[in-house]
């Protein structure tokens, strides 16, 4: 496939883009604490500029200190920010990419802990996620904010940006004024559709006056908010025509607000290009170019979207985190080497709001957000490296070490790579994990990793390789709880069920309501089985990202899965269990099979056999401590670049 549409140039106002690949604005938390541009910002954008993207839109950049949504957000509310932002534009321009900046105010979608004061909004109605009642802006304050957007745009132009994007999407301040869901005013900025549109239109006019007629402007908005009483498609089509008439050169069409965040950060439960129909509808209503977005991770789908006229440009979002080199790889015919976004939301959304992380990274690409600290480059001293275990951590460590020039041998006892993570690709909406594993194997083959599949590594086999480094990535295995009756032949593991090694009966009881147990319940319930999940905690599936969990929970309720929380199993009986619920013993019986999904324990039997016999011995991933795949992959990469 030639991908001729994706690589055709396009004019946005006076701005000519070399191709249709766009990195949309995604908050990263990479700025300095005072909102100035950091070295990490520069390295992150440079990595993507080198990757061949036609347009990079710098993420949420606050026009006012009260407008910050995240702690380490970029600022543009003062001239002091211009020099740092100019560093960013110069860094990107040297690779031929164009760069825009998104002007942003969070409104009610922030926290007092982030901005130091009560949030502000059109009306004193709290965000259903942030849950802090905002202070209603006065009319004078509204007009002052209009000026601040214009002043910020002027600074952006002075800093060398090629375009400015005005953020009217995802439930932030401009969207709050536009939406009847958040705007309850009865003055000139509220009530009717025309009044609700006054704030964004006045901002656009103010920006246009301050940057001049020829400077390109983008407007991002959610064509559907998907909350009760929110903006719908028909109002959004009318809004699109109004902002076009006010001077906008391109429309960036998204979906959702914080109250419908599962559509902003789409999971694999939503198909690639899930919001493309909205972009197509907007494109029919206006004459200016339209950017389509919505979990794009395959160039074939993006090419088709442009070829069929559904969108003029494609924003790749989290896929650009997974692989900053995507456009270059597509151009070179290396589609099979694209690191796929699996829409897990762990390294991006999860880390962004994790107080211990506060950065944007990627499960599949741990170098994302760490461009300054981690780099694949030729090793000073090439070594013989043996990796044991082809799970996610072992695969990542193997290919990265080989890419750095080391000689790598990878032992795997199974015929198929992936370990527990491969099993995790089997439940509904989890197939993207398989794409990630295929990518890791492709990279291992590209860099010459010697794969010894169906070979259980022994100390003798490992030592026979005469390695300088041994990495144990042997993962984990089911941790059976010490229960009476655990040897009941009806007891099986979640892995056995998912891999098809056992055929459960019509009624199944699952002990353990974490990620594995919940997804196994989803898998079985979809097949029409009667499923009960027992969990000690007050809720199930608390070890997965909220937006991913929401779709899972919807499916479990749809299939009628019986969820018994705050339930502690004491004994396995002939066809069920004895358990404690609300301080009372209960019996749950009549099940054909009992599935154990209570966690895993580390497999590290080789450690003692190899200690003192190899120059370097490292243990990563679940073999070190049972955790998530993202931890194993990060450890594998970090180790590989330091060998």
């Amino acid at each position: 496939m030639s991908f001729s549409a994706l690589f055709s140039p396009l004019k946005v106002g006076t701005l000519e883009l070399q191709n249709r690949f766009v990195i949309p604005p995604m908050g990263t938390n990479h700025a300095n604490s005072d909102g100035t541009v950091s070295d990490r910002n520069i390295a992150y954008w440079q990595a993507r500029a080198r990757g061949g993207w036609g347009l990079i839109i710098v993420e949420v950049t606050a026009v006012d200190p009260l407008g910050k949504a995240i702690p380490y957000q970029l600022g543009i509310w003062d001239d002091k920010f211009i020099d740092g932002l100019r560093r960013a534009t110069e860094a990107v321009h040297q690779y031929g990419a164009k760069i825009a900046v998104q002007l942003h105010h969070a409104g009610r979608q922030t926290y007092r802990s982030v901005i130091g004061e009560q949030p502000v909004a059109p009306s004193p109605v709290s965000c259903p996620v942030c849950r802090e009642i905002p202070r209603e802006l006065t009319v004078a304050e509204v007009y002052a904010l209009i000026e601040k957007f214009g002043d910020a745009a002027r600074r952006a132009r002075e800093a060398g940006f090629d375009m400015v994007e005005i953020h009217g999407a995802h439930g932030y301040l401009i969207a709050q004024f536009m939406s009847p869901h958040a705007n309850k005013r009865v003055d000139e900025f509220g009530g009717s559709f025309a009044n609700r549109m006054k704030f964004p239109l006045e901002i656009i006019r103010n920006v246009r006056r301050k940057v001049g007629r020829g400077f390109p402007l983008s407007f991002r908005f959610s064509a559907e908010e998907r909350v009760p009483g929110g903006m719908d498609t028909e109002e959004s089509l009318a809004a699109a025509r109004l902002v076009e008439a006010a001077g906008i050169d391109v429309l960036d069409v998204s979906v959702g607000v914080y109250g419908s965040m599962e559509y902003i950060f789409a999971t694999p439960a939503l198909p690639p290009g899930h919001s493309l129909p909205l972009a197509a509808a907007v494109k029919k209503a206006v004459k200016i170019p339209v950017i389509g977005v919505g979990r794009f991770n395959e160039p074939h789908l993006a090419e088709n979207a442009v070829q069929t006229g559904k969108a003029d440009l494609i924003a790749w979002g989290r896929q650009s985190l997974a692989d900053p080199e995507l456009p270059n790889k597509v151009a070179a015919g290396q589609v099979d080497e694209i690191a796929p976004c699996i829409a897990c939301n762990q390294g991006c959304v999860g880390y962004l709001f994790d107080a211990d992380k506060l950065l944007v990274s990627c499960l599949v690409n741990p170098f994302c957000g760490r461009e300054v600290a981690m780099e694949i480059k030729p090793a000073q001293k090439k070594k013989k490296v043996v990796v044991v275990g082809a799970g996610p951590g072992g695969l990542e460590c193997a290919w990265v070490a080989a890419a750095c020039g080391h000689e790598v041998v990878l032992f795997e006892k199974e015929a198929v790579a992936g370990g527990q993570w491969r099993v995790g690709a089997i439940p509904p909406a989890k197939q993207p994990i398989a794409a990630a594993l295929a990518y890791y194997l492709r990279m291992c083959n590209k860099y010459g990793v010697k794969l010894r599949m169906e070979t259980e590594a022994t100390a003798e086999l490992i030592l026979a390789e005469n390695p300088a480094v041994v990495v144990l990535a042997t993962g984990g295995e089911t941790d059976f709880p010490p229960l009476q009756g655990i040897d009941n032949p009806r007891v099986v593991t979640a892995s056995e069920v998912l891999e098809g090694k056992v055929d459960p009966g019509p009624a199944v009881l699952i002990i353990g309501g974490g990620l594995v147990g919940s997804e196994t319940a989803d898998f079985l319930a979809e097949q029409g089985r009667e499923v009960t999940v027992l969990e000690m905690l007050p809720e199930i599936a608390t070890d997965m990202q909220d937006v991913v969990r929401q779709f899972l929970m919807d499916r479990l309720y749809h299939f009628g899965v019986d969820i018994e929380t705050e339930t502690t199993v004491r004994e396995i009986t002939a066809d069920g269990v004895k358990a404690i619920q609300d301080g009372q013993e209960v019996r749950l019986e009549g099940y054909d099979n009992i599935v154990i999904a209570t966690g895993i324990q580390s497999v590290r039997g080789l450690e003692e056999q190899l200690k003192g016999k190899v120059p370097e011995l490292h243990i990563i991933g679940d073999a070190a401590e049972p955790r998530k795949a993202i931890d194993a992959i990060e450890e594998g990469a970090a180790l590989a670049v330091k060998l």
Side-chain angles (χ1 to χ4, degrees), residues 72 93 190 277 288 380 428 439:
Y72 296 96
H93 283 152
I288 55 178
Q380 292 182 350
Y439 159 74

Side-chain angles (χ1 to χ4, degrees), residues 336-337 387 389-403 406 408-410 417 436-453:
D336 60 342
E337 292 184 17
V387 180
L395 288 169
E396 175 77 2
C397 185
W399 87 257
V400 172
H406 299 295
V408 183
V409 178
L410 176 58
L437 287 170
Y439 159 74
Y440 289 135
L441 286 168
R442 172 71 185 95
M443 300 308 283
C444 283
N445 287 322
K446 176 179 179 175
Y447 289 106
V449 174
K450 297 175 183 176
L451 295 169
R452 305 281 174 82
M453 306 302 292

Side-chain angles (χ1 to χ4, degrees), residues 86-287:
R86 187 177 291 115
R87 286 178 58 214
T89 60
E90 291 172 352
V92 167
H93 283 152
Q94 65 179 299
Y95 296 102
K98 303 300 183 183
I99 183 169
V101 63
Q102 185 185 67
L103 307 183
H104 168 262
H105 193 298
R108 70 179 189 169
Q109 288 185 173
T110 188
Y111 301 91
R112 186 185 294 267
S113 61
V114 172
I115 61 176
E117 297 182 31
Q118 182 182 13
V120 297
S123 304
V125 179
S126 66
C127 163
V129 173
C130 298
R131 299 178 183 175
E132 294 190 17
I133 297 176
R135 175 177 63 79
E136 181 172 303
L137 290 161
T138 67
V139 171
E141 287 176 318
V142 175
Y143 277 106
L145 280 169
I146 291 169
E147 295 293 333
K148 288 183 179 183
F149 272 93
D151 292 340
R154 184 264 303 166
R155 295 182 188 107
R157 181 167 190 173
E158 289 183 20
F161 284 99
D162 301 295
M163 185 172 74
V164 159
E165 178 166 279
I166 298 166
H167 198 347
H170 302 157
Y172 293 114
L173 185 66
I174 294 175
Q176 289 160 33
F177 271 93
M178 294 168 63
S179 174
H181 178 70
N183 187 344
K184 312 299 180 181
R185 301 173 78 101
V186 294
D187 60 13
E188 61 187 293
F189 291 102
S192 67
F193 173 73
N195 284 4
R196 287 186 279 110
M197 286 299 299
K198 183 172 182 177
F199 185 57
L201 292 175
E202 288 297 324
I203 287 173
I204 294 167
R205 293 175 186 130
N206 193 284
V207 167
R208 177 56 72 201
R209 284 196 300 271
K210 291 175 179 176
V211 298
R213 292 175 59 86
F215 192 71
L217 301 182
S218 170
F219 186 76
R220 192 173 213 200
F221 68 108
S222 295
E224 288 182 358
E225 293 192 317
R226 298 185 182 174
V227 289
M231 289 278 285
D232 62 11
T233 307
E234 291 306 312
E235 275 199 331
S236 293
L237 294 179
R241 298 182 71 172
L242 286 174
V243 299
E244 177 186 28
I248 290 297
D249 298 294
V250 61
L251 289 167
D252 190 351
V253 182
S254 191
V255 63
V257 298
Y258 273 22
S260 55
M261 199 176 289
E262 65 273 20
Y263 294 101
I264 301 175
F265 306 114
T267 78
L270 292 172
H274 67 95
S275 60
L276 188 60
L278 298 174
V282 171
K283 185 166 168 54
K284 290 179 180 178
V286 299
K287 295 181 175 62

Side-chain angles (χ1 to χ4, degrees), residues 262 267-269 427-430 512-523 525-526 531-535 537-565:
E262 65 273 20
T267 78
K430 296 301 292 292
L515 181 150
V516 174
S518 300
E519 291 186 342
T520 303
D522 188 19
F523 174 78
E526 186 187 51
V531 181
T532 299
V533 178
L534 303 185
E535 170 57 45
L537 298 174
E539 295 181 357
I540 69 167
T542 57
D543 51 347
M544 62 173 60
Q545 288 301 311
D546 288 343
V547 291
V548 180
R549 180 179 185 270
Q550 181 158 339
F551 282 108
L552 171 65
M553 297 303 295
D554 288 346
R555 291 195 300 273
L556 295 182
Y557 288 127
H558 170 75
F559 290 126
V561 172
D562 180 16
I563 299 171
E564 301 287 340
T565 57

